[in-house]
Amino acid sequence: MQTKDLGHLLISKGLASELAVSQAEWLVRHKGGSLLEHVLMLEETSEEQLAAFLAEISHVPRAQQGSLTPDASLSTVLPPELIKNNPYIVPLKREGRDVWMLVADIEALGTLKDLEFATEYHFRPLVATFGQVRACRETLYPSLKQESAVKPAIQLRDYTRERFTAEPKGIWRFEENDTNLDIFVNTALMEARESQRKPAAAVWSVGQQKTDDAVVNLVDYVMRKAIAAGASDVHFEPFEDTFRVRYRLDGKLVKVFSFPVPIAGSVVSRIKILSQLDIAEKRLPQDGRIHYALGHGRTIDIRVSVIPTFFGEKAVLRLLDKAALQIDVRRLGMEQDELYSVMRAIHAPQGMVLVTGPTGSGKTTTLYSMLIELNKESVNIMTAEDPIEFDLPGINQMQVHEEIELTFASAIRSFLRQDPDIILVGEIRDFETADIAIKASLTGHLILSTLHTNDAPSALARLTNMNVEPYLVASSVVLTMAQRLLRKLCPHCKVPLKPPPKALIQVGFDPRDIPDLSLFGPKGCPKCFNTGYLGRVGIFEVLAVNDEIREMFLDRAPIAEVKREARRFGMRTLRQMGLEKAKAGVTSIEEVASSTMPDR
C-alpha cells in the first residue's frame, strides 16, 4: 500500500490529523521508518488503535494477548541476522514448517513474503502493537538491543496550561531531537531554497500572501513555547551565519533557538502579515500588534517592532498576557506598612501618586492594579498611555500620538473637560505635562503617573529639575514609590551559601545578624532553563510625603538629607527590602546587589 493512501485512511478513520500525517510522511521520506510509528510518536493516537486499524485494513487477525511469549528455539531457527533490518516483525511460535510472526506495520507483511524465499518456512502473520513486537524481540534476540525506529516527538499541544519544563537538550535547538521543530525548520528551509530558485513565487503582498505551512507552524511553535515559558519578549535576530531566537525570561535574555539563515526572511514576513505590516517595506522600522488566540477563550496581545539591520530585519515581540496580569494591589508583594501607605494615598480625594523605576520594573502593572482597586461606577477614571498595554473594562483609555500633537499634556487638558475623578498619565516627561498634572491634582483630582528615577525621594527632585516650583511639588505629591523586580531563586535547585562576613557587610547586612543568616544561591536545572531563577518578586520603597518632608523640600534641602529623614520616619529602601527577600531565601544577594543601589 502506498504511504499516501495509508495516510488518507488514517485521516478518514479519525486516527490522525492532516498535520500529523504530513509530518509523518515527511519523516518517512527523509528519515525512513514506518508511517504508523511516526504517527504514534507524534501522539495522535494509541498503539492499540493502530494495531486494530492495521488488522482491519490488512485482514490479518490480532495476536491474543495471553500468548505473547516467543518460543526460545526460534532464535536459532531464525537467527538475528535474518531479521536484524526488519524491526517490525518477530517470530512467536512454530508448528512444523509454519511459523507465526508478529507484525506491527503494513510494510512488514511484504517482508514476510521475501523471507519465505530465504528460508524453508511458511510465515503466518498476527497483528501486534509496536510495543509487543519490541518486547518479544528483546526476549528472543537480546543482542539486537532493539529500540524504536524513531525518537519520541514532542507533542504539539497547548503548552500554556503549565510552565514549560523540558530537558535542556532536545528542545532548545532544532538540531537535537525535537521532531516537530525539526520538521518545520527543514521544510521551511527547503521551501526557502525553492523560492530562491523561483523569485516570482516568493513575492508577498498584504491580503494575498503565499504563506508556507512550515513557516506558519514554526512561528506558532516558537510563540507557544515563549508563552508557556513565561517570556515577556521574543527576539528574532538575523546574523551572517545564524538566525537567532531569544526569550526574555524573568528579565534576562536567553538564547533558545538557532535556525538556518535562509528561513529568516520568511519568518519575519509571517510576523509582518500577522501584525498587518507592509511586508514589501524592508528599509524603515515598523510597529504593529497581534491578537494571538490560544484557545479556550484565551488571547495574548503582542506588540511587534521590526527594524532593518545589516543582515536583515530584526523583529521583537512583546507578549502582553492579560490573564497573567496581577491586578490586585494587595497581592503585588508589598509589606503591610508599605501597602497601608499606598492604599491611604490612592483613596485620597486628590493629590499625586508617582511610581518610579527603570523600564521593565513593573510600573504599569502597579498602576493598573491601583486603577482596578479604584474602579467603581460612581468614579470617572481616564488614562493617557503610550502605548495602551491592556484594556481595562470600565476605564476610559486614550492612546497618545505625538505625531498628531496628541501629547500627554493635551490629553490631560481634554480630560479636565470630561469631569474626571482620577487621571492616569503614562509618564511625566517634560515641564508642560508635569505642570498641568500638578495643577489638576491641586483642583480636586487624583493623578497617578510614572517617572524614571532611582529611588522614591528623587522623584520630588526630578519634578523641580523640570522647572516645576518646589511649593507646587510639595503641595501636590502625596506619595512616591520606587520599585524593582528581583528574580526568584528556583525552588527546585537553589543551594545554601555561606559568603564571607566582609562581603555580607558590604552588601548591607547588619554584622549582628550575620551568624544567624541562612542564604541561598542559584545552581540551575531543567525547570529553570539552567539559570537558577524561576519567576520574579517585587520590592517597593514607599515614601509617604508628610509635613516634615514637605518643609525640608521647600527649604531646598539636599535630596540625600530628605532620604535620611524619610528613613527616620520608617521608609525602608529598595536595598533593605531586597536583603529581606534574600534572608527569606526568596532571592540571592547577587540579584539584590545588581538590582538596587547601596544605602548611604
Side-chain angles (χ1 to χ4, degrees), residues 254-301:
V254 178
K255 178 183 174 182
V256 289
F257 298 116
S258 181
F259 296 144
V261 173
I263 71 172
S266 298
V267 169
V268 174
S269 293
R270 173 60 181 167
I271 293 169
K272 284 183 173 182
I273 290 168
L274 290 172
S275 50
Q276 298 183 343
L277 300 179
D278 184 357
I279 60 175
E281 178 57 73
K282 300 180 184 296
R283 301 167 299 170
L284 297 174
Q286 298 187 71
D287 297 319
R289 286 185 93 101
I290 301 172
H291 297 289
Y292 190 85
L294 291 171
H296 308 289
R298 186 181 175 195
T299 301
I300 303 291
D301 287 330

Side-chain angles (χ1 to χ4, degrees), residues 444-495:
H445 306 93
L446 178 66
I447 307 295
L448 308 177
S449 191
T450 70
L451 284 173
H452 286 282
T453 63
N454 289 328
D455 54 46
S458 296
L460 302 173
R462 180 76 182 96
L463 291 174
T464 59
N465 291 340
M466 294 180 185
N467 296 321
V468 179
E469 292 294 335
Y471 76 91
L472 290 175
V473 176
S475 302
S476 61
V477 178
V478 295
L479 181 136
T480 65
M481 179 173 70
Q483 66 180 70
R484 299 289 188 277
L485 291 176
L486 303 182
R487 291 184 296 168
K488 296 165 63 177
L489 287 167
C490 175
H492 307 286
C493 66
K494 65 180 182 179
V495 293

Side-chain angles (χ1 to χ4, degrees), residues 366-397:
T366 298
L367 289 173
Y368 278 1
S369 69
M370 292 178 179
L371 291 183
I372 296 299
E373 170 70 20
L374 298 170
N375 189 20
K376 300 180 179 63
E377 287 192 0
S378 59
V379 177
N380 181 17
I381 301 177
M382 309 193 75
T383 76
E385 303 174 59
D386 184 23
I388 297 174
E389 296 199 3
F390 295 100
D391 63 298
L392 302 175
I395 294 175
N396 306 283
Q397 297 172 268

Side-chain angles (χ1 to χ4, degrees), residues 265-438:
S266 298
V267 169
V268 174
S269 293
R270 173 60 181 167
I271 293 169
K272 284 183 173 182
I273 290 168
L274 290 172
S275 50
Q276 298 183 343
L277 300 179
D278 184 357
I279 60 175
E281 178 57 73
K282 300 180 184 296
R283 301 167 299 170
L284 297 174
Q286 298 187 71
D287 297 319
R289 286 185 93 101
I290 301 172
H291 297 289
Y292 190 85
L294 291 171
H296 308 289
R298 186 181 175 195
T299 301
I300 303 291
D301 287 330
I302 302 175
R303 288 212 314 263
V304 179
S305 172
V306 180
I307 65 169
T309 67
F310 188 70
F311 292 107
E313 292 181 285
K314 173 182 177 178
V316 176
L317 283 63
R318 169 66 58 88
L319 310 182
L320 305 171
D321 185 1
K322 189 172 182 179
L325 180 66
Q326 180 53 259
I327 56 176
D328 186 348
V329 70
R330 296 170 183 80
R331 298 178 61 187
L332 291 176
M334 296 184 201
E335 300 298 330
Q336 286 299 317
D337 290 345
E338 284 73 21
L339 178 61
Y340 173 79
S341 297
V342 169
M343 296 295 283
R344 182 179 178 185
I346 65 175
H347 283 285
Q350 66 181 60
M352 178 179 283
V353 174
L354 297 173
V355 181
T356 78
T359 301
S361 60
K363 299 188 299 296
T364 299
T365 299
T366 298
L367 289 173
Y368 278 1
S369 69
M370 292 178 179
L371 291 183
I372 296 299
E373 170 70 20
L374 298 170
N375 189 20
K376 300 180 179 63
E377 287 192 0
S378 59
V379 177
N380 181 17
I381 301 177
M382 309 193 75
T383 76
E385 303 174 59
D386 184 23
I388 297 174
E389 296 199 3
F390 295 100
D391 63 298
L392 302 175
I395 294 175
N396 306 283
Q397 297 172 268
M398 177 187 286
Q399 171 70 56
V400 169
H401 293 286
E402 294 192 0
E403 63 273 14
I404 58 173
E405 298 185 358
L406 179 54
T407 63
F408 284 118
S410 62
I412 299 172
R413 290 193 186 94
S414 300
F415 289 170
L416 292 175
R417 294 189 287 271
Q418 291 278 318
D419 185 31
D421 297 294
I422 300 167
I423 296 174
L424 182 145
V425 184
E427 183 181 349
I428 295 178
R429 301 172 178 170
D430 50 46
F431 167 75
E432 185 181 15
T433 305
D435 183 60
I436 191 170
I438 285 175

Side-chain angles (χ1 to χ4, degrees), residues 91-312:
L92 180 66
K93 62 180 181 178
R94 184 184 60 157
E95 291 183 3
R97 294 180 60 190
D98 289 336
V99 177
W100 275 262
M101 300 283 284
L102 297 183
V103 297
D105 184 73
I106 194 164
E107 299 296 332
L109 296 173
T111 301
L112 296 184
K113 297 294 183 183
D114 296 334
L115 288 178
E116 284 187 347
F117 286 107
T119 68
E120 57 181 13
Y121 298 104
H122 174 62
F123 297 114
R124 297 179 178 274
L126 296 171
V127 171
T129 67
F130 289 103
Q132 290 167 344
V133 169
R134 193 176 305 120
C136 288
R137 286 172 68 94
E138 290 173 356
T139 299
L140 200 58
Y141 305 106
S143 62
L144 290 181
K145 301 292 184 184
Q146 177 62 32
E147 295 181 355
S148 170
V150 295
K151 297 290 184 180
I154 293 173
Q155 183 184 7
L156 268 183
R157 56 187 171 86
D158 188 354
Y159 282 101
T160 60
R161 298 181 185 177
E162 57 186 357
R163 189 178 176 102
F164 186 58
T165 56
E167 294 295 328
K169 290 187 177 181
I171 192 63
W172 292 118
R173 293 174 179 79
F174 78 95
E175 295 89 351
E176 304 290 348
N177 292 323
D178 193 335
T179 307
N180 281 317
L181 188 57
D182 192 15
I183 294 168
F184 302 153
V185 174
N186 281 283
T187 307
L189 185 57
M190 290 187 292
E191 291 170 349
R193 288 169 177 165
E194 183 66 23
S195 297
Q196 290 172 358
R197 289 192 291 268
K198 299 177 180 179
V203 176
W204 299 68
S205 61
V206 175
Q208 196 176 9
Q209 64 270 16
K210 280 177 60 66
T211 304
D212 297 321
D213 288 341
V215 174
V216 172
N217 290 331
L218 177 61
V219 173
D220 182 75
Y221 188 92
V222 171
M223 296 310 301
R224 284 183 177 270
K225 295 239 171 152
I227 294 166
S232 61
D233 302 84
V234 181
H235 292 239
F236 295 85
E237 302 169 305
F239 296 99
E240 183 177 13
D241 56 355
T242 188
F243 181 42
R244 182 175 70 183
V245 178
R246 292 189 291 172
Y247 293 165
R248 188 171 292 279
L249 300 170
D250 300 328
K252 301 293 183 181
L253 281 172
V254 178
K255 178 183 174 182
V256 289
F257 298 116
S258 181
F259 296 144
V261 173
I263 71 172
S266 298
V267 169
V268 174
S269 293
R270 173 60 181 167
I271 293 169
K272 284 183 173 182
I273 290 168
L274 290 172
S275 50
Q276 298 183 343
L277 300 179
D278 184 357
I279 60 175
E281 178 57 73
K282 300 180 184 296
R283 301 167 299 170
L284 297 174
Q286 298 187 71
D287 297 319
R289 286 185 93 101
I290 301 172
H291 297 289
Y292 190 85
L294 291 171
H296 308 289
R298 186 181 175 195
T299 301
I300 303 291
D301 287 330
I302 302 175
R303 288 212 314 263
V304 179
S305 172
V306 180
I307 65 169
T309 67
F310 188 70
F311 292 107

